[in-house]
Amino acid sequence: LNTWQETLAILCTYANEQEFPQLCENLAQRLEKERFDIRAAVLCYMICGNFSQTVRIWASMSTPGASSQSTALQDLVEKMAVMQAAVKYEGKDSIFVSKVSRYAQMLANSGRVTAAMRYLTIIKPSSQYQQQGPQNAASDILKDRIYNSAPQGVMNQIVPTAPPFPFQPVNIQPSVQQQQRPGMMQQQQHQQQQHVAGRTPYGQRSSAPGGMYGHQQQQV
């Protein structure tokens, strides 16, 4: 590993197209885990086109010369966007989605909705993934908000069609049983009121002619 540059040069020169990515990735893993040379490892990951591992290391490294977190985030997102376009990465990477969504949110908050939408377009909608993560859902919601808040003429130049609705529609119309339930409750309350009104108050005699006292008076 002390002469990893020569090893990398040999791989780039003599390894065939099928073997080169795996051999270069093996070299990167050894440099990262055995020699703890992160910069050398990320270089090998970049050469073999391993987008996820490259993004992971980039996100954990501090950007030299960055004056603030926003500047560091901008540098990271720009590098990730360039590499994604170069290797034509179409997979799902949570770090990539999270960082791009965060940067797009920062642009939208500052009024740069056009630039924010341009970055969000490099993230695939969550509907195209079998397993949807919270990062993808957040990017879909942000994309929908920006698209509907900006002028349609501007957004149509970036996104030809409207982004998919990020929420699942729910029918809130009451069912037939729920509609009948208030009427049944009113009917039960009315019956209870009639039943209470027909009772004889405690301590009072019934005025009905067929009562017990009326029967005794007739016998006398």
Side-chain angles (χ1 to χ4, degrees), residues 21-147:
Q22 185 60 47
L23 293 175
C24 190
E25 184 174 349
N26 293 340
L27 178 61
Q29 291 176 354
R30 292 193 60 189
L31 288 170
E32 180 183 5
K33 297 178 181 179
E34 298 180 18
R35 199 167 186 263
F36 305 103
D37 193 343
I38 303 300
R39 296 190 179 277
V42 73
L43 178 62
C44 294
Y45 281 130
M46 291 172 59
I47 293 175
C48 69
N50 193 323
F51 180 81
S52 298
Q53 295 297 333
T54 304
V55 167
R56 176 183 61 83
I57 295 179
W58 277 348
S60 62
M61 296 171 59
S62 59
T63 304
S67 58
S68 62
Q69 293 183 356
S70 59
T71 304
L73 179 62
Q74 179 181 358
D75 295 340
L76 174 61
V77 171
E78 289 178 351
K79 290 192 298 184
M80 291 191 301
V82 171
M83 185 170 182
Q84 186 210 28
V87 301
K88 297 179 175 58
Y89 179 77
E90 297 182 355
K92 175 185 177 182
D93 187 85
S94 59
I95 298 177
F96 173 70
V97 174
S98 175
K99 297 298 183 181
V100 173
S101 300
R102 181 181 171 187
Y103 182 61
Q105 180 71 62
M106 184 179 67
L107 292 175
N109 292 339
S110 61
R112 301 172 61 185
V113 292
T114 303
M117 181 59 76
R118 290 187 186 278
Y119 277 101
L120 288 174
T121 54
I122 66 178
I123 301 176
K124 284 188 175 182
S126 59
S127 58
Q128 299 185 13
Y129 298 108
Q130 294 181 355
Q131 296 181 354
Q132 301 180 9
Q135 296 86 2
N136 295 91
S139 64
D140 290 346
I141 295 174
L142 180 60
K143 189 181 299 183
D144 179 76
R145 288 175 55 193
I146 294 177
Y147 182 85

Side-chain angles (χ1 to χ4, degrees), residues 7-8 10-28 44 47-49:
T7 304
L8 181 60
I10 293 173
L11 294 177
C12 294
T13 305
Y14 299 106
N16 56 41
E17 296 181 358
Q18 290 75 20
E19 296 177 349
F20 175 76
Q22 185 60 47
L23 293 175
C24 190
E25 184 174 349
N26 293 340
L27 178 61
C44 294
I47 293 175
C48 69

